[in-house]
Protein backbone atom coordinates (compact mmCIF):
# COMPACT_ATOMS: atom_id res chain seq x y z
CA UNK A 1 0.00 0.00 0.00
CA UNK A 2 1.67 3.23 -1.05
CA UNK A 3 2.07 5.52 1.95
CA UNK A 4 2.91 8.84 0.36
CA UNK A 5 2.23 10.52 3.71
CA UNK A 6 -1.23 8.98 4.13
CA UNK A 7 -2.66 7.02 7.01
CA UNK A 8 -3.67 3.36 6.92
CA UNK A 9 -5.42 1.22 9.51
CA UNK A 10 -5.51 -2.56 9.72
CA UNK A 11 -7.60 -5.05 11.63
CA UNK A 12 -6.02 -8.31 12.71
CA UNK A 13 -8.59 -11.06 12.92
CA UNK A 14 -8.33 -14.74 13.74
CA UNK A 15 -10.95 -17.42 14.09
CA UNK A 16 -9.17 -18.87 17.13
CA UNK A 17 -7.77 -17.41 20.36
CA UNK A 18 -4.11 -17.04 19.27
CA UNK A 19 -3.77 -13.26 18.97
CA UNK A 20 -1.80 -11.98 21.96
CA UNK A 21 -2.52 -8.57 23.47
CA UNK A 22 -2.42 -6.91 26.86
CA UNK A 23 -4.31 -4.19 28.71
CA UNK A 24 -3.16 -0.60 28.42
CA UNK A 25 -0.44 0.65 30.71
CA UNK A 26 -2.38 3.90 31.11
CA UNK A 27 -5.62 3.38 32.99
CA UNK A 28 -7.51 6.34 31.54
CA UNK A 29 -6.28 5.97 27.95
CA UNK A 30 -8.76 5.75 25.08
CA UNK A 31 -8.18 3.35 22.22
CA UNK A 32 -6.51 4.74 19.08
CA UNK A 33 -5.08 7.71 21.01
CA UNK A 34 -1.68 6.55 22.27
CA UNK A 35 1.34 5.43 20.23
CA UNK A 36 2.87 2.32 21.81
CA UNK A 37 5.67 1.69 19.29
CA UNK A 38 7.11 3.67 16.39
CA UNK A 39 9.82 3.99 13.79
CA UNK A 40 10.50 6.88 11.39
CA UNK A 41 8.01 5.31 8.96
CA UNK A 42 5.41 3.67 11.20
CA UNK A 43 3.38 4.27 14.37
CA UNK A 44 1.50 1.53 16.25
CA UNK A 45 -1.41 2.76 18.37
CA UNK A 46 -3.31 1.11 21.16
CA UNK A 47 -6.50 -0.40 19.83
CA UNK A 48 -9.37 -2.63 20.84
CA UNK A 49 -9.81 -6.33 21.34
CA UNK A 50 -12.95 -8.15 20.27
CA UNK A 51 -13.62 -11.42 22.05
CA UNK A 52 -15.70 -12.98 19.31
CA UNK A 53 -15.28 -13.79 15.61
CA UNK A 54 -16.74 -12.52 13.38
CA UNK A 55 -17.37 -9.10 14.93
CA UNK A 56 -20.33 -9.22 17.32
CA UNK A 57 -23.13 -6.69 17.45
CA UNK A 58 -21.80 -3.44 18.99
CA UNK A 59 -24.60 -3.58 21.56
CA UNK A 60 -22.79 -6.57 23.12
CA UNK A 61 -20.28 -4.28 24.83
CA UNK A 62 -18.98 -7.06 27.09
CA UNK A 63 -17.30 -8.61 24.01
CA UNK A 64 -15.21 -5.48 23.36
CA UNK A 65 -12.12 -4.49 25.39
CA UNK A 66 -10.17 -1.26 25.07
CA UNK A 67 -7.61 0.09 25.07
CA UNK A 68 -5.41 -2.91 24.27
CA UNK A 69 -1.82 -3.28 23.08
CA UNK A 70 -0.77 -5.70 20.36
CA UNK A 71 2.01 -8.00 21.56
CA UNK A 72 3.91 -9.24 18.55
CA UNK A 73 6.09 -8.34 15.63
CA UNK A 74 5.23 -6.21 12.61
CA UNK A 75 7.35 -6.73 9.51
CA UNK A 76 7.09 -4.29 6.65
CA UNK A 77 9.09 -3.31 3.60
CA UNK A 78 9.45 0.42 3.22
CA UNK A 79 11.17 0.01 -0.16
CA UNK A 80 8.91 -2.32 -2.15
CA UNK A 81 10.63 -1.26 -5.40
CA UNK A 82 14.12 -2.31 -4.30
CA UNK A 83 15.05 -3.95 -7.61
CA UNK A 84 14.42 -0.65 -9.35
CA UNK A 85 16.44 1.37 -6.83
CA UNK A 86 19.62 0.24 -8.62
CA UNK A 87 18.77 2.76 -11.33
CA UNK A 88 18.50 5.88 -9.20
CA UNK A 89 17.19 7.33 -5.96
CA UNK A 90 14.21 5.29 -4.82
CA UNK A 91 12.20 8.43 -4.13
CA UNK A 92 12.41 9.39 -7.84
CA UNK A 93 11.49 6.00 -9.29
CA UNK A 94 7.81 5.02 -9.35
CA UNK A 95 6.81 1.51 -8.36
CA UNK A 96 5.56 -0.69 -11.14
CA UNK A 97 1.78 -0.94 -10.98
CA UNK A 98 0.77 -4.56 -10.37
CA UNK A 99 -2.75 -5.36 -11.58
CA UNK A 100 -5.06 -7.20 -9.24
CA UNK A 101 -7.24 -10.12 -10.25
CA UNK A 102 -9.79 -12.45 -8.72
CA UNK A 103 -8.52 -15.67 -7.11
CA UNK A 104 -7.78 -18.56 -9.40
CA UNK A 105 -10.74 -20.81 -10.06
CA UNK A 106 -10.53 -24.53 -9.44
CA UNK A 107 -9.62 -26.54 -12.56
Amino acid sequence: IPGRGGERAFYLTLNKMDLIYKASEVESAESDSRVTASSPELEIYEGEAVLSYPFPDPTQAYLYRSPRLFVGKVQYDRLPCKPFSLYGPVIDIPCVEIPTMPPTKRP
Side-chain angles (χ1 to χ4, degrees), residues 50-64:
V50 182
L51 305 179
S52 180
Y53 179 88
F55 289 121
D57 188 305
T59 61
Q60 296 177 302
Y62 63 93
L63 293 172
Y64 291 83

Side-chain angles (χ1 to χ4, degrees), residues 97 99 104:
E97 294 292 326
T104 306

Side-chain angles (χ1 to χ4, degrees), residues 36-95:
T36 62
S38 66
S39 73
E41 300 86 19
L42 187 68
E43 292 179 334
I44 306 291
Y45 284 80
E46 286 182 331
E48 297 186 18
V50 182
L51 305 179
S52 180
Y53 179 88
F55 289 121
D57 188 305
T59 61
Q60 296 177 302
Y62 63 93
L63 293 172
Y64 291 83
R65 302 284 190 266
S66 68
R68 294 294 186 258
L69 291 91
F70 170 69
V71 177
K73 184 179 194 181
V74 176
Q75 289 183 288
Y76 64 98
D77 186 351
R78 71 183 267 286
L79 299 173
C81 298
K82 276 186 266 189
F84 301 99
S85 67
L86 300 173
Y87 305 105
V90 173
I91 205 81
D92 297 334
I93 300 172
C95 287

Side-chain angles (χ1 to χ4, degrees), residues 19-42:
L19 185 62
I20 301 171
Y21 63 89
K22 66 180 186 175
S24 175
E25 297 164 352
V26 179
E27 202 169 308
S28 63
E30 293 181 20
S31 61
D32 302 326
S33 66
R34 196 168 81 87
V35 175
T36 62
S38 66
S39 73
E41 300 86 19
L42 187 68

